[in-house]
Amino acid sequence: MLTVITGGGRGIGAATALRLARDGHDLVLSYAADRDAAEATAATARANGVGVEVVRADVTDPDQVDALFDAAAGVGRVTGLVNNAGSTLHLGDLADTPVEVVRRVIDVNLTGAVLVARRAVRDLTDGGAIVNVSSAAATLGAPHEYVHYAAAKAGVDALTVGLAQEVAARGIRVNGVAPGIVRTGIHAAAGDPGRPDRVAGAVPVGRVGEPEEVAAAIAWLLSDACPYATGATLRVAGGR
Ligand code: NAP
């Protein structure tokens, strides 16, 4: 098993890398800017006896996406993708969100995910599995926070449904996970590090999620445990 994880250096991607390494996957982890985090995650993952490569690739740039998958092809035949890279960048009403932030958020979370999935299905020549990382925001709408991000993630859910049907006959399953509020650096990067603790009370289970809890769902969807599941997005959001 050789699995590519975009944004595999930190947060949900890093937790997924460590989980998949324990399950015996060789990995190619991409990052956009934080090389140290990606190298640290790779080193921890390698302790499980698997091979782990680290590649810098901005998912919004098709040439860098190609370079990422070319590097993976140099390791072996890719069998899986965790299409995880994403960011929110900003919190606020849409009317107050700068146009360049709107464009960048849609570019990273939707265009990037589509470009990565596009290349992945070219390379999954003998079947495999893709898990797209969406968000509970896709159905909640995220008013007063980031409705443009929610719209992008709704696009990711449509990508999951359509691509799953397009490649089913090739033995490729395409599923998604839709996390709720998960304790990662994404909130601080959007300017609100206290957000997880502040909103925890609004989550039915009474707490925010941990990256490892999303990683478990991703690992299950990638595995042979659910061969008849495709085109599905699994909510991992504590009841939200
Ligand atoms: P995170 O801790 O901020 O990590 C984001 C990862 O994505 C980092 O590895 C980052 O790379 C990478 N990345 C960001 N922009 C990129 C780009 N343009 N090209 C390539 N890589 C890029 O965030 P996270 O919370 O783990 O988020 C992971 C996924 O879960 C995202 O798709 C996010 O939308 C989704 N999600 C998160 C939550 C939550 O509450 N945390 C909830 C729902 C959905 P660097 O390390 O190099 O910066």
Side-chain angles (χ1 to χ4, degrees):
M1 296 176 286
L2 174 59
T3 299
V4 175
I5 307 177
T6 61
R10 297 190 291 120
I12 291 168
T16 303
L18 301 183
R19 169 60 197 256
L20 294 180
R22 285 203 303 278
D23 292 349
H25 290 240
D26 295 315
L27 299 169
V28 178
L29 309 180
S30 80
Y31 67 98
D34 194 340
R35 182 175 186 92
D36 289 349
E39 292 290 3
T41 300
T44 307
R46 283 186 198 110
N48 294 280
V50 297
V52 186
E53 298 290 324
V54 169
V55 178
R56 196 186 84 77
D58 186 324
V59 295
T60 66
D61 180 338
D63 292 336
Q64 294 186 38
V65 170
D66 279 339
L68 167 63
F69 280 88
D70 290 348
V75 174
R77 189 176 59 76
V78 174
T79 58
L81 165 69
V82 182
N83 200 357
N84 165 76
S87 56
T88 50
L89 297 181
H90 173 98
L91 286 160
D93 285 7
L94 180 61
D96 303 324
T97 304
V99 168
E100 59 272 22
V101 171
V102 171
R103 280 197 195 281
R104 182 67 185 165
V105 165
I106 293 173
D107 212 18
V108 173
N109 292 284
L110 179 55
T111 309
V114 172
L115 292 175
V116 169
R118 172 183 176 274
R119 173 62 196 252
V121 294
R122 292 179 170 204
D123 286 18
L124 291 166
T125 51
D126 195 26
I130 293 173
V131 177
N132 295 320
V133 180
S134 176
S135 171
T139 53
L140 296 172
H144 309 299
E145 292 194 316
Y146 29 58
V147 297
H148 51 296
Y149 168 84
K153 290 298 194 181
V156 170
D157 290 352
L159 167 71
T160 297
V161 169
L163 191 61
Q165 295 173 64
E166 216 165 84
V167 299
R170 293 175 47 203
I172 303 171
R173 294 183 299 107
V174 184
N175 290 293
V177 295
I181 295 157
V182 180
R183 199 180 300 282
T184 72
I186 201 170
H187 311 289
D192 190 1
R195 181 168 177 264
D197 292 322
R198 205 178 53 254
V199 301
V203 180
V205 302
R207 62 175 179 83
V208 299
E210 300 299 330
E212 294 74 16
E213 296 176 288
V214 182
I218 293 171
W220 181 71
L221 286 166
L222 266 188
S223 78
D224 293 337
C226 50
Y228 203 53
T230 195
T233 293
L234 175 60
R235 210 171 180 84
V236 187
R240 281 184 96 211

